[in-house]
């Protein structure tokens, strides 16, 4: 039994039909007896939409000029796209009879420095997630 990490970008999870296809690929590996973690991006086009919204929101007090976006809040908004995909894939896997759970960065946890917008990972003490994977659960992680 191998531990496998599978990564799927935005076009691979662009809609529910594609998320179901990804779930089938994950199920195939689980059925082979592998322990699986899946890393997913936001659905195609979602990140661009969220970035545009942050820019529009920042202009609210700046009139016609270009306002700077608070990087901490930018990170919150843009991360939402990946979080949606995580939840949708975990729901799909569970509906297919595969025990799965979505994991957000703070739940793993993924520890970073405080440089919002371009943080660097300082450590990943993923003990709880590791236990879940070793117990047969698929971990679906934003990334």
């Amino acid at each position: 039994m191998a531990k496998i990490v599978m990564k799927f970008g935005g076009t691979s999870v662009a809609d529910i039909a594609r998320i179901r296809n990804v779930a089938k690929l994950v199920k195939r590996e689980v059925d082979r007896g592998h322990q699986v973690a899946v890393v997913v991006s936001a659905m195609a086009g979602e990140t661009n939409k969220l970035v545009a919204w942050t820019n529009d929101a920042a202009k609210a007090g700046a009139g016609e000029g270009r306002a700077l976006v608070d990087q901490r809040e930018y990170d919150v908004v843009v991360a939402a796209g990946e979080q949606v995909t995580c939840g949708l894939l975990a729901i799909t896997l569970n509906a297919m009879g595969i025990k799965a759970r979505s994991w957000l960065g703070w739940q793993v946890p993924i520890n970073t420095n405080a440089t919002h917008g371009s943080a660097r990972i300082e450590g990943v003490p993923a003990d709880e997630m590791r236990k879940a994977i070793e117990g047969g659960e698929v971990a679906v992680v934003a990334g």
Side-chain angles (χ1 to χ4, degrees):
M1 169 176 18
K3 289 184 180 177
I4 296 177
V5 177
M6 304 173 80
K7 168 67 170 132
F8 296 96
T11 56
S12 298
V13 293
D15 54 35
I16 296 299
R18 290 187 182 192
I19 289 172
R20 285 187 183 123
N21 186 58
V22 165
K24 289 176 188 173
L25 297 172
V26 173
K27 183 180 185 314
R28 182 178 66 195
E29 296 305 326
V30 171
D31 289 346
R32 290 178 176 166
H34 300 302
Q35 296 175 344
V36 181
V38 184
V39 181
V40 293
S41 297
M43 298 164 80
E46 290 302 306
T47 300
N48 291 339
K49 180 172 66 175
L50 295 169
V51 168
W53 286 350
T54 62
N55 291 332
D56 285 347
K59 290 179 189 174
E64 295 299 316
R66 181 168 171 82
L68 295 177
V69 176
D70 180 303
Q71 291 300 296
R72 179 184 58 212
E73 303 309 335
Y74 174 91
D75 287 350
V76 169
V77 172
V78 174
E82 293 171 345
Q83 293 175 21
V84 168
T85 309
C86 283
L88 291 173
L89 181 55
I91 289 167
T92 303
L93 287 165
N94 280 298
M96 295 170 64
I98 302 296
K99 188 176 177 186
R101 175 185 167 190
S102 62
W103 292 81
L104 305 181
W106 67 271
Q107 294 170 310
V108 172
I110 298 172
N111 299 323
T112 67
N113 64 23
T115 309
H116 296 286
S118 60
R120 297 287 180 222
I121 294 174
E122 294 179 343
V124 185
D127 297 331
E128 291 302 314
M129 187 175 69
R130 188 175 299 108
K131 288 177 193 173
I133 292 169
E134 290 171 355
E137 185 174 88
V138 172
V140 184
V141 183

